[in-house]
Amino acid sequence: GGFTGGRFRLEASADGASCTPTTATAELTLDIADLGRLWLGDESAVRLAALGRVREQRAGAARVADALLRTSRRPWCPDVF
């Protein structure tokens, strides 16, 4: 339930992004842990798809997710937890 289940539409442009619940057919299927990995920017949806952790419901959707979520620098936090 909540934000850990269901379908969400991520829309992005040069003007910003939004994420809203939807009933539309999913383009990617993945669990919340893998979504977290993608959101932090240090993982590739294409790589996770090759490992069977992300399922493309539309060909090329993992590549599009990488274009939206990957960063040129790895995540880094100077604080030790």
Side-chain angles (χ1 to χ4, degrees), residues 26-81:
E27 294 185 7
L28 282 179
T29 305
L30 63 156
D31 72 19
I32 192 68
D34 290 320
L35 178 60
R37 288 178 181 92
L38 295 175
W39 180 73
L40 289 171
D42 194 34
E43 185 56 90
S44 163
V46 171
R47 179 179 175 282
L48 291 176
L51 294 171
R53 296 182 64 109
V54 168
R55 291 168 304 288
E56 283 189 311
Q57 308 301 325
R58 184 187 57 77
R63 184 179 42 76
V64 171
D66 277 352
L68 289 170
L69 300 169
R70 293 292 308 257
T71 61
S72 61
R73 294 184 178 177
R74 295 185 73 189
W76 179 75
C77 179
D79 295 325
V80 177
F81 292 94

